[in-house]
Amino acid sequence: MNFDLTAEQKMIRKLLRDFAEGEVAPDADERDRDKRFPKEIMEKMAELDLMGLPFPEKYGGGGADTISFAIVVEELSRVCASTGITYSAHISLGCAPIFLFGTEEQKKSYLIPLCQGETLGAFGLTEPGAGSDAGGTKTKAIKNQKDWIINGSKCFITNASFANFVSLTALTGEDEITAFIVPTDTQGFTVVDNYFKMGLHSSNTTELVLEDVRVSEEAILGERGKGFKQFLVTLDGGRIGIGAMAVGIAQGAYELALKYAKERKQFGQSISRFQAIQHKLADMAMEIELARTMVYKAAWLKDQGRKFTKEASMCKLFASEVAMRVCSQAVQIHGGYGYMHDYKVERFFRDAKLTEIGEGTSEIQRNIIAREVGC
């Protein structure tokens, strides 16, 4: 299997490398300190027609493939993981379920503005008592004549403060979960942004509170009772995004560590001359390359219309654990300076942890892989 990039993919990589270096990187540390959302960056990405990159042009998308999407997430995350996860969640969790399961009318009403960058995409599955056990959903939607009345809450939801609508799940019967598209300005819908997080400080992570939120029958996304299965399919694609994000974080931390090792002098020579440091850097480079290849494989399978559940979990699991190892070693190579904010690797280290949790924990990924190989 050959993963030589196509001319279009190479063009996207160059565009995003230049964009990330010129527009995203300069203020990344300041945004992290101030917990400031990268709104202006998302607006500039919309101007570059990137906000609907892997979706058909008829819906305002770019008609590109999943590998191209992974490249964008990696390049953004290489300098600012908060920006990377904002984009990844917008595409893979916000846009994707509407594209995959929405009616033509829903795609025109919701997917087009998402692809054009008029709003950000958000996806509401996790609840305070339903994390890894997403089937433990407690949010309920009760039919009242022609409308549905939704009550419940969601937690750890990315982008919702900047979303005009959210796709979310609710119980519509005993053991029956249905997905709905709910405008965030609906009466009784509250988005709460008050989390104090370990990392990804400039991404938007919120709680959703729904109190007698009324939506019509047309708000159902896909088929009634199929919401849980639909969102599992959505998460497979989301794991490619998290894998790409992890590769980007690892690549950024590795590059900083390599640069520092060449510049830092100890005992009369740069520390890059010491075998202990060389071996750390060699392992980092090797694991990043392997993780990237696994992400591309999962993306390629998705683009071929082939089953990719196992590979999505593998790429997400492996890349996230690589990111943690690489960032830890990058801090170690920097020594005391690695613990300081000004040297950036501490931000990468904090941001990397989420990749082992989001879109299913490492433990859940191992469960999925075990199931897929026939255990």
Side-chain angles (χ1 to χ4, degrees):
M1 189 177 295
N2 191 343
F3 286 118
D4 287 343
L5 298 183
T6 65
E8 181 181 1
Q9 290 163 351
K10 290 176 182 177
M11 181 186 71
I12 289 172
R13 168 154 280 167
K14 184 180 187 308
L15 171 66
L16 262 294
R17 177 63 60 95
D18 292 343
F19 180 82
E21 294 285 356
E23 301 289 345
V24 184
D27 297 325
D29 288 331
E30 182 180 343
R31 286 194 304 274
D32 181 72
R33 283 193 297 267
D34 297 343
K35 299 177 175 58
R36 177 163 49 87
F37 186 75
K39 186 172 182 292
E40 298 81 5
I41 293 171
M42 293 298 113
E43 291 171 350
K44 290 176 181 177
M45 292 185 72
E47 293 172 6
L48 293 171
D49 295 325
L50 292 168
M51 298 305 285
L53 184 69
F55 302 105
E57 294 178 8
K58 66 182 287 190
Y59 302 120
D65 58 12
T66 309
I67 292 177
S68 297
F69 158 68
I71 288 169
V72 174
V73 175
E74 178 186 340
E75 291 298 328
L76 294 173
S77 302
R78 177 179 157 270
V79 297
C80 176
S82 289
T83 303
I85 197 172
T86 298
Y87 181 79
S88 181
H90 166 77
I91 295 287
S92 62
L93 303 183
C95 298
I98 296 173
F99 172 68
L100 291 171
F101 309 112
T103 64
E104 193 63 26
E105 186 59 38
Q106 287 172 332
K107 290 175 185 178
K108 290 177 181 177
S109 298
Y110 301 112
L111 184 57
I112 289 176
L114 284 169
C115 290
Q116 293 177 339
E118 296 173 11
T119 181
L120 284 178
F123 167 96
L125 177 63
T126 304
E127 298 185 6
S132 295
D133 178 19
T137 296
K138 299 299 183 186
T139 296
K140 290 184 179 180
I142 297 175
K143 192 73 175 289
N144 183 352
Q145 297 180 344
K146 292 184 178 181
D147 292 338
W148 290 89
I149 310 299
I150 306 175
N151 283 279
S153 64
K154 303 289 181 178
C155 60
F156 312 142
I157 309 305
T158 303
N159 294 343
S161 295
F162 300 88
N164 293 345
F165 43 85
V166 177
S167 301
L168 54 83
T169 50
L171 285 168
T172 50
E174 187 175 354
D175 297 325
E176 178 186 271
I177 297 177
T178 301
F180 293 86
I181 303 173
V182 184
T184 53
D185 63 357
T186 305
Q187 184 175 351
F189 194 128
T190 305
V191 179
V192 183
D193 179 10
N194 61 3
Y195 288 123
F196 188 81
K197 301 177 292 185
M198 174 191 291
L200 299 170
H201 286 163
S202 59
S203 73
N204 176 243
T205 310
T206 67
E207 180 184 3
L208 310 180
V209 180
L210 298 95
E211 299 175 307
D212 293 330
V213 171
R214 182 182 295 268
V215 296
S216 69
E217 184 77 14
E218 287 69 36
I220 290 179
L221 176 60
E223 297 181 47
R224 175 176 172 176
K226 298 293 181 65
F228 185 60
K229 290 182 179 179
Q230 291 170 190
F231 275 36
L232 289 180
V233 172
T234 300
L235 285 172
D236 281 344
R239 285 166 187 145
I240 295 174
I242 294 293
M245 176 184 164
V247 170
I249 293 171
Q251 183 68 37
Y254 163 74
E255 290 174 5
L256 289 169
L258 179 61
K259 181 175 182 290
Y260 182 83
K262 290 179 177 179
E263 295 173 351
R264 176 66 167 171
K265 298 289 194 301
Q266 291 285 276
F267 305 103
Q269 59 183 335
S270 69
I271 64 172
S272 65
R273 300 293 299 276
F274 297 125
Q275 191 178 66
I277 302 298
Q278 292 174 348
H279 284 184
K280 288 180 187 295
L281 291 165
D283 286 344
M284 293 157 78
M286 174 184 66
E287 290 202 309
I288 291 168
E289 192 64 31
L290 291 170
R292 181 180 292 114
T293 300
M294 195 68 229
V295 170
Y296 286 0
K297 179 180 180 181
W300 180 83
L301 287 170
K302 182 175 186 291
D303 289 331
Q304 299 302 307
R306 293 166 59 177
K307 184 173 175 60
F308 65 99
T309 296
K310 178 185 70 175
E311 288 78 9
S313 285
M314 283 181 170
C315 85
K316 190 270 187 188
L317 172 63
F318 184 67
S320 64
E321 295 188 348
V322 165
M324 284 301 295
R325 287 194 292 270
V326 167
C327 289
S328 178
Q329 292 296 347
V331 171
Q332 193 72 17
I333 288 170
H334 279 73
Y337 291 111
Y339 207 69
M340 303 300 154
H341 186 83
D342 290 346
Y343 279 75
K344 301 182 189 300
V345 287
E346 67 86 29
R347 168 165 60 88
F348 283 72
F349 184 76
R350 287 186 288 106
D351 290 348
K353 186 59 191 175
L354 187 278
T355 65
E356 293 188 312
I357 299 169
E359 264 80 313
T361 63
S362 296
E363 292 75 17
I364 291 297
Q365 302 315 311
R366 287 183 166 88
N367 287 347
I368 294 170
I369 295 165
R371 182 192 69 210
E372 291 294 314
V373 299
C375 290

